[in-house]
């Protein structure tokens, strides 16, 4: 086994594992990190094989059904700029979204031709996540002294994205540890510290994603490969039916729990989703245009629901796609969701629960929080995906050496 190949892929893994820590200090740093990872993977693939082989892999990747669907989606988004009331943001959003897709496509193409290599399963990886979680907690408790030291803003909410990043990486940490007597304790420590960071942060999204991850992981262990169908149908159903579900969200929550939930984190979201959902029929087929939700409060300033339209976006991926891209956008994304879950059939059964838990956490976050087109979010999801793709790539090679250091 070529040592340089082993170091190459592991240098990417180290970079991804460093992302949550860096996000504590700079919440938008996932974007430049994703660019760096894509460049690294392309460079390593060119060294492993040849630039010509990498170029051919890029061409082959570009011809895949998923990429072709994404290309149609981006073209439709670009066309929708013509009827969006937020033209400048629409153009910027479309370019950023397309750029994120290109970066991920390049990562996939590079990994496709990279030689299989060993992924070092050092206990340092989970310790890095545990350390980052403790660092985030300490920043919250002591008033962000390290952020202040590096000149970052002291507001605690600016570390919310780091808390989300920790939760998304937790399933990988639980399944990619060295096999040693220390593992059970490290697993428990990872769960407790990441959970502590999520609940100490101001991010209700991180808390919800953590709960979903922990509750669904044993479910996916029991379901095995049937978990793909379970989560796939649940994802597709919530995506398509969310405008119908949103007016009834609060009624689905038990009264005892609903009375304890702060309106500013839960109730307001339900009202925002309901307000945007009520306007979907106005432009049912083509939508209002990409990123038009940013101008919704202005476009519908005479309606009683106007106060719920001025939050920048619906804070719900499904409703934002419905509102901005209409039925055409929904159909394209639904097809992509089907292709994605179909591709999970190649995932080994022992890894499947963790992969599905990661997907469930991503979908949970997408449905309750961040804007559908935010670049940092797509880059973070791309980095976590690359982590799993490297694990799957290494599964086809020699088993990784075990290490406690």
């Amino acid at each position: 086994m070529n040592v340089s190949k082993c170091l190459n892929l592991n240098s990417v893994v180290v970079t991804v594992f460093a992302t949550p820590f860096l996000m504590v200090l700079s919440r938008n740093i996932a974007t430049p990190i994703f660019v760096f990872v894509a460049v690294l993977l392309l460079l390593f693939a060119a060294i492993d094989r040849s630039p010509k082989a990498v170029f051919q892999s890029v061409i082959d990747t570009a011809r895949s059904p998923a990429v072709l669907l994404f290309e149609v989606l981006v073209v439709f988004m670009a066309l929708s700029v013509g009827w969006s009331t937020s033209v400048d943001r629409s153009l910027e959003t479309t370019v950023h979204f397309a750029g994120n897709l290109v970066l991920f496509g390049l990562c996939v193409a590079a990994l496709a031709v990279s030689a299989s290599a060993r992924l070092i399963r050092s206990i340092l990886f989970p310790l890095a996540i545990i350390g980052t979680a403790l660092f985030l907690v300490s920043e919250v408790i002591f008033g962000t002294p390290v952020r202040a030291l590096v000149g970052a803003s002291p507001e605690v909410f600016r570390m919310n994205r780091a808390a989300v990043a920790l939760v998304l990486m937790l399933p990988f940490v639980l399944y990619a540890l060295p096999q040693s007597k220390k593992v059970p304790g490290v697993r428990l420590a990872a769960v407790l510290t990441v959970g502590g960071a999520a609940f100490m942060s101001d991010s209700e999204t991180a808390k919800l994603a953590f709960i979903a991850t922990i509750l669904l992981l044993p479910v996916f262990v029991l379901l095995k490969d049937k978990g793909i169908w379970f989560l796939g149908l649940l994802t597709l159903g919530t995506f398509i039916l969310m405008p119908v579900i949103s007016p009834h969200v609060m009624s689905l929550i038990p009264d005892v729990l609903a009375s304890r939930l702060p309106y500013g984190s839960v109730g307001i979201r339900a009202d925002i989703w309901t307000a945007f959902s009520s306007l979907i029929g106005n432009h049912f087929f083509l939508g209002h245009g990409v990123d038009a939700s940013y101008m919704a409060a202005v476009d519908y300033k005479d309606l009683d629901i106007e106060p719920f339209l001025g939050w920048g976006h619906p804070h719900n991926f499904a409703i934002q796609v419905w509102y901005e891209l209409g039925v055409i956008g929904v159909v394209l994304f639904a097809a992509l969701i089907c292709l994605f879950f179909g591709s999970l059939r190649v995932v080994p059964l022992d890894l499947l629960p963790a992969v599905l838990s990661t997907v469930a956490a991503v979908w949970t976050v997408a449905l309750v929080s961040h804007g559908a087109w935010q670049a940092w979010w797509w880059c973070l999801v791309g980095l976590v995906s690359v982590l799993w793709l490297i694990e799957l790539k290494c599964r086809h090679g020699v088993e990784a050496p075990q290490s406690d250091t």
Side-chain angles (χ1 to χ4, degrees):
M1 177 66 65
N2 191 321
V3 175
S4 65
K5 293 175 183 176
C6 177
L7 293 177
N8 286 346
L9 281 183
N10 282 285
S11 64
V12 174
V13 174
V14 169
T15 301
V16 177
F17 264 85
T19 301
F21 178 85
L22 295 174
M23 288 180 72
V24 174
L25 304 175
S26 176
R27 63 178 186 162
N28 291 318
I29 203 167
T31 299
I33 291 176
F34 193 35
V35 174
F36 179 66
V37 163
V39 171
L40 278 183
L41 287 173
L42 288 170
L43 178 63
F44 297 156
I47 294 173
D48 282 346
R49 296 297 173 85
S50 68
K52 183 178 180 180
V54 174
F55 179 76
Q56 184 59 50
S57 181
V58 171
I59 297 300
D60 294 340
T61 301
R63 292 172 177 169
S64 66
V67 172
L68 293 175
L69 272 175
F70 270 121
E71 289 173 354
V72 173
L73 175 63
V74 170
V75 170
F76 178 63
M77 290 174 65
L79 291 174
S80 77
V81 174
W83 58 83
S84 173
T85 54
S86 181
V87 177
D88 291 341
R89 285 182 63 93
S90 296
L91 285 170
E92 182 180 353
T93 292
T94 303
V95 171
H96 284 171
F97 182 68
N100 290 336
L101 294 177
V102 169
L103 285 173
F104 185 68
L106 292 174
C107 290
V108 172
L111 283 171
V113 294
S114 294
S116 296
R118 297 178 182 179
L119 178 60
I120 297 175
R121 303 184 191 281
S122 171
I123 202 169
L124 294 177
F125 288 132
L127 289 180
I129 293 300
I130 293 170
T132 299
L134 293 175
F135 173 48
L136 192 153
V137 170
S138 69
E139 285 291 280
V140 173
I141 293 175
F142 298 109
T144 66
V146 178
R147 282 180 58 84
L149 184 64
V150 299
S153 176
E155 291 94 345
V156 172
F157 77 87
R158 295 188 182 277
M159 297 185 292
N160 288 353
R161 295 177 180 180
V164 170
L166 284 169
V167 174
L168 295 190
M169 294 185 66
L170 181 60
F172 184 89
V173 170
L174 297 179
Y175 271 71
L177 292 173
Q179 298 300 314
S180 73
K181 295 180 180 179
K182 298 179 182 178
V183 167
V186 175
R187 281 197 176 97
L188 179 60
V191 171
L192 293 178
T193 54
V194 170
F199 279 88
M200 286 291 291
S201 74
D202 282 350
S203 176
E204 302 299 325
T205 302
K207 298 168 189 173
L208 184 60
F210 176 78
I211 293 172
T213 300
I214 297 303
L215 291 181
L216 288 174
L217 187 57
V219 173
F220 293 132
V221 170
L222 292 174
L223 290 176
K224 297 181 180 179
D225 59 336
K226 294 182 178 64
I228 298 174
W229 287 96
F230 171 75
L231 185 58
L233 291 174
L234 184 62
T235 302
L236 190 62
T238 51
F239 174 63
I240 295 173
L241 299 176
M242 186 53 67
V244 178
I245 297 171
S246 59
H248 309 287
V249 167
M250 293 307 295
S251 63
L252 298 175
I253 303 175
D255 293 338
V256 176
L257 179 59
S259 62
R260 296 175 179 271
L261 296 174
Y263 176 77
S265 62
V266 180
I268 185 63
R269 278 177 166 78
D271 287 335
I272 292 171
W273 301 343
T274 302
F276 275 97
S277 296
S278 68
L279 302 172
I280 290 172
N282 293 347
H283 298 275
F284 187 71
F285 291 101
L286 297 178
H288 291 73
V290 64
D291 233 357
S293 57
Y294 180 75
M295 294 295 293
V298 176
D299 297 337
Y300 292 100
K301 60 180 180 296
D302 297 327
L303 297 183
D304 293 338
I305 60 174
E306 181 269 337
F308 302 114
L309 302 176
W311 294 81
H313 54 78
H315 291 73
N316 185 298
F317 176 84
I319 290 175
Q320 188 166 353
V321 172
W322 267 107
Y323 180 84
E324 295 180 2
L325 301 180
V327 168
I328 293 178
V330 169
V331 169
L332 289 172
F333 268 111
L336 287 165
I337 289 172
C338 291
L339 284 177
F340 170 73
F341 280 98
S343 70
L344 294 183
R345 289 177 295 180
V346 303
V347 177
L349 281 179
D350 63 319
L351 286 182
L352 193 56
V355 172
L356 291 175
S357 294
T358 304
V359 175
V362 169
W363 188 239
T364 299
V365 174
L367 284 185
V368 301
S369 190
H370 308 298
W373 320 116
Q374 288 183 336
W376 77 269
W377 169 241
W378 282 94
C379 289
L380 176 61
V381 173
L383 288 169
V384 176
S385 300
V386 165
L387 205 57
W388 279 114
L389 288 174
I390 290 176
E391 170 68 18
L392 294 173
K393 177 75 177 180
C394 293
R395 282 299 183 99
H396 296 290
V398 181
E399 282 297 315
Q402 306 304 322
S403 171
D404 291 332
T405 60

